Amino acid sequence: LLVTPPSAIEGGRISLLGSDLSSAATPPVVSIDGQAARVTFVSSRRLDVIVPPLSGESPASVTVRGLPVHGTL
């Protein structure tokens, strides 16, 4: 998966681009630095999420379904 844009602030929207992202009946769980991110859009190739409150440390790690994403915020 690719994170775009490569940086965002709390409350900002990011997209995760990849493949086979909507295979489950429910949206995948997305976390940013261990905090749940609200998924606002799901398609087979894109997830849009809202950035949750973060610790302020940079870069922030991103996971989808518990697996790390190749990219950080």
Side-chain angles (χ1 to χ4, degrees), residues 19-35:
S19 61
D20 196 30
L21 298 174
S22 65
S23 61
T26 59
V29 174
V30 177
S31 297
I32 301 174
D33 264 1
Q35 300 295 316

Side-chain angles (χ1 to χ4, degrees), residues 3-73:
V3 178
T4 184
S7 64
I9 61 170
E10 177 182 330
R13 184 180 312 251
I14 62 167
S15 294
L16 306 172
L17 308 175
S19 61
D20 196 30
L21 298 174
S22 65
S23 61
T26 59
V29 174
V30 177
S31 297
I32 301 174
D33 264 1
Q35 300 295 316
R38 185 167 56 100
V39 177
T40 60
F41 176 82
V42 179
S43 75
S44 63
R45 295 185 179 208
R46 189 179 99 211
L47 297 174
D48 289 350
V49 300
I50 303 296
V51 177
L54 301 174
S55 66
E57 297 296 321
S58 187
S61 62
V62 180
T63 61
V64 176
R65 297 182 184 115
L67 302 172
V69 170
H70 299 292
T72 56
L73 289 178

